[in-house]
Short mmCIF file of all heavy atoms in Angstrom, two decimals:
data_model
loop_
_atom_site.label_atom_id
_atom_site.label_comp_id
_atom_site.label_asym_id
_atom_site.label_seq_id
_atom_site.Cartn_x
_atom_site.Cartn_y
_atom_site.Cartn_z
N LYS A 45 -49.04 -129.53 201.13
CA LYS A 45 -47.93 -129.46 200.01
C LYS A 45 -47.03 -130.75 200.41
O LYS A 45 -46.66 -130.84 201.55
CB LYS A 45 -47.19 -128.17 200.10
CG LYS A 45 -45.99 -128.13 199.20
CD LYS A 45 -45.32 -126.81 199.43
CE LYS A 45 -44.06 -126.79 198.52
NZ LYS A 45 -43.19 -125.66 198.83
N GLN A 46 -46.72 -131.45 199.42
CA GLN A 46 -45.98 -132.71 199.56
C GLN A 46 -44.49 -132.24 199.48
O GLN A 46 -44.05 -131.64 198.66
CB GLN A 46 -46.20 -133.72 198.44
CG GLN A 46 -45.53 -135.08 198.61
CD GLN A 46 -46.23 -135.82 199.71
OE1 GLN A 46 -47.53 -135.69 199.82
NE2 GLN A 46 -45.56 -136.62 200.50
N SER A 47 -43.83 -132.52 200.58
CA SER A 47 -42.40 -132.24 200.62
C SER A 47 -41.56 -133.54 200.98
O SER A 47 -42.24 -134.54 201.15
CB SER A 47 -42.05 -131.22 201.76
OG SER A 47 -42.35 -131.68 202.99
N SER A 48 -40.30 -133.38 200.90
CA SER A 48 -39.48 -134.62 201.10
C SER A 48 -39.69 -135.27 202.44
O SER A 48 -39.57 -136.62 202.62
CB SER A 48 -37.96 -134.33 200.91
OG SER A 48 -37.60 -133.22 201.84
N ALA A 49 -40.04 -134.53 203.46
CA ALA A 49 -40.26 -135.01 204.78
C ALA A 49 -41.75 -135.43 205.12
O ALA A 49 -42.10 -135.67 206.21
CB ALA A 49 -39.83 -134.03 205.75
N GLY A 50 -42.51 -135.43 204.06
CA GLY A 50 -43.97 -135.69 204.25
C GLY A 50 -44.82 -134.51 203.84
O GLY A 50 -44.44 -133.76 202.88
N GLN A 51 -46.06 -134.32 204.30
CA GLN A 51 -46.78 -133.22 203.90
C GLN A 51 -46.58 -131.98 204.85
O GLN A 51 -46.29 -132.11 205.99
CB GLN A 51 -48.31 -133.52 204.08
CG GLN A 51 -48.82 -134.61 203.01
CD GLN A 51 -48.93 -136.04 203.55
OE1 GLN A 51 -48.31 -136.27 204.74
NE2 GLN A 51 -49.52 -136.95 202.86
N ARG A 52 -46.80 -130.83 204.20
CA ARG A 52 -46.74 -129.59 205.05
C ARG A 52 -48.07 -129.01 204.96
O ARG A 52 -48.56 -128.61 203.90
CB ARG A 52 -45.77 -128.74 204.51
CG ARG A 52 -45.24 -127.65 205.49
CD ARG A 52 -44.15 -126.77 204.85
NE ARG A 52 -44.83 -125.43 204.67
CZ ARG A 52 -44.54 -124.78 203.48
NH1 ARG A 52 -43.75 -125.20 202.60
NH2 ARG A 52 -45.08 -123.51 203.38
N THR A 53 -48.85 -128.97 206.13
CA THR A 53 -50.19 -128.47 206.10
C THR A 53 -50.25 -126.95 206.46
O THR A 53 -49.49 -126.56 207.40
CB THR A 53 -50.99 -129.23 207.24
OG1 THR A 53 -50.89 -130.61 206.97
CG2 THR A 53 -52.48 -128.74 207.19
N ARG A 54 -50.84 -126.18 205.64
CA ARG A 54 -51.09 -124.81 205.96
C ARG A 54 -52.66 -124.51 205.95
O ARG A 54 -53.38 -125.34 205.42
CB ARG A 54 -50.40 -123.86 204.92
CG ARG A 54 -48.90 -123.94 205.02
CD ARG A 54 -48.37 -123.32 203.76
NE ARG A 54 -48.28 -121.96 203.75
CZ ARG A 54 -48.25 -121.16 202.72
NH1 ARG A 54 -48.01 -121.75 201.48
NH2 ARG A 54 -47.96 -119.83 202.82
N PHE A 55 -52.99 -123.38 206.44
CA PHE A 55 -54.45 -123.04 206.59
C PHE A 55 -54.86 -121.92 205.62
O PHE A 55 -54.18 -120.91 205.67
CB PHE A 55 -54.90 -122.88 207.96
CG PHE A 55 -54.67 -123.98 208.80
CD1 PHE A 55 -53.54 -124.21 209.62
CD2 PHE A 55 -55.57 -125.05 208.88
CE1 PHE A 55 -53.34 -125.40 210.38
CE2 PHE A 55 -55.39 -126.23 209.67
CZ PHE A 55 -54.29 -126.39 210.41
N LYS A 56 -55.89 -122.00 204.97
CA LYS A 56 -56.35 -121.02 204.06
C LYS A 56 -57.67 -120.39 204.66
O LYS A 56 -58.61 -121.26 204.91
CB LYS A 56 -56.62 -121.56 202.63
CG LYS A 56 -56.85 -120.62 201.59
CD LYS A 56 -57.06 -121.30 200.20
CE LYS A 56 -57.13 -120.37 199.18
NZ LYS A 56 -57.19 -121.05 197.90
N ALA A 57 -57.64 -119.08 204.79
CA ALA A 57 -58.88 -118.51 205.45
C ALA A 57 -59.51 -117.56 204.48
O ALA A 57 -58.81 -116.74 203.80
CB ALA A 57 -58.45 -117.73 206.70
N PHE A 58 -60.86 -117.68 204.35
CA PHE A 58 -61.68 -116.79 203.59
C PHE A 58 -62.39 -115.80 204.58
O PHE A 58 -63.22 -116.30 205.44
CB PHE A 58 -62.78 -117.53 202.77
CG PHE A 58 -62.21 -118.29 201.63
CD1 PHE A 58 -61.63 -119.49 201.88
CD2 PHE A 58 -62.02 -117.86 200.40
CE1 PHE A 58 -61.02 -120.39 200.91
CE2 PHE A 58 -61.44 -118.51 199.40
CZ PHE A 58 -61.05 -119.83 199.61
N VAL A 59 -62.14 -114.47 204.50
CA VAL A 59 -62.87 -113.56 205.42
C VAL A 59 -63.49 -112.48 204.60
O VAL A 59 -62.96 -111.91 203.68
CB VAL A 59 -61.77 -112.85 206.45
CG1 VAL A 59 -62.47 -111.82 207.18
CG2 VAL A 59 -61.19 -114.04 207.32
N ALA A 60 -64.77 -112.12 204.92
CA ALA A 60 -65.53 -111.06 204.40
C ALA A 60 -65.66 -109.83 205.30
O ALA A 60 -65.94 -110.27 206.58
CB ALA A 60 -66.89 -111.54 203.78
#
Side-chain angles (χ1 to χ4, degrees):
K45 177 185 175 186
Q46 190 73 35
S47 64
S48 54
Q51 288 101 347
R52 200 177 106 220
T53 307
R54 290 163 84 199
F55 297 97
K56 191 176 185 180
F58 291 86
V59 173

